[in-house]
Amino acid sequence: MNNKIFEQLKITSLEGIYPIGEDSELLSSALFIPKNASCLDLGCGTGIQGITMAKQGAKKITFGDINPNALENARINVLQNHVKTRVSFVQTDVFSNVSESFDVIAFNPPYVPSDDIQWIETDGGKKGRKILDRFLETVSDHLSPAGEVFFLQTSLNGTKKTEEILRKKGFRFEIICRQKLFFEELLVFHAQKNPKPADIRKQKK
């Protein structure tokens, strides 16, 4: 999938908020959202994923981030991109303050390997998987019966482990986008709970 909606957006990045880079653009370009879906942009940062969802016809977007400044940044970008979808904002550490379920969840987790998480926008803890693994462990609890999730991962953090967790949790999944960088490959996973046979839409890699 290559929707390129992000190229038409006006996105402001406030100081200290993770700026849009190859990873954010890759995830945004991979999103395909059912009309009238309820969506969560988790770790929203500038809000690019949620705004992309809105432009594709989502009826409700929740922007979630541990950093209150990121939520303010997302509010700014929602306004300047004239998002008419119903929106809400929640300060949350992964799903700590999220109680509802969604049709679609998008997540670009911090993935830089680090002994301690000092920079919440980039540090992913041991092997860069600490935040990703927390997300994968509980994401199914926050999806509607046939809910879908899109998330980004770097090849440096072990895609086989991700696939093992998804299988264990009963997801049907595929890698729908890839982008090779100098020392890594960025990957976008699309996973779904309880899919009908035609629900996982094949995409060009």
Side-chain angles (χ1 to χ4, degrees), residues 148-163:
E148 304 174 57
V149 58
F150 297 84
F151 65 93
L152 184 134
Q153 177 176 354
T154 170
S155 58
L156 300 179
N157 296 347
T159 56
K160 293 300 183 184
K161 181 175 181 181
T162 299
E163 293 173 357

Side-chain angles (χ1 to χ4, degrees), residues 23 100 134 165 169 185:
D23 50 356
E100 59 189 297
R134 286 179 57 202
I165 294 172
K169 294 293 181 179
E185 184 176 31

Side-chain angles (χ1 to χ4, degrees), residues 104-177:
V104 181
I105 296 174
F107 188 36
N108 182 7
Y111 54 76
V112 176
S114 58
D115 291 334
D116 297 303
I117 296 179
Q118 299 180 18
W119 307 101
I120 58 176
E121 291 83 7
T122 57
D123 289 356
K126 296 287 187 181
K127 299 182 179 179
R129 293 196 58 97
K130 184 174 182 179
I131 308 302
L132 176 61
D133 287 344
R134 286 179 57 202
F135 170 78
L136 293 174
E137 185 62 31
T138 57
V139 64
S140 61
D141 298 334
H142 300 279
L143 288 170
S144 60
E148 304 174 57
V149 58
F150 297 84
F151 65 93
L152 184 134
Q153 177 176 354
T154 170
S155 58
L156 300 179
N157 296 347
T159 56
K160 293 300 183 184
K161 181 175 181 181
T162 299
E163 293 173 357
E164 289 172 4
I165 294 172
L166 289 171
R167 290 190 187 97
K168 181 179 178 181
K169 294 293 181 179
F171 281 97
R172 184 175 175 183
F173 65 90
E174 59 182 330
I175 295 171
I176 58 173
C177 281

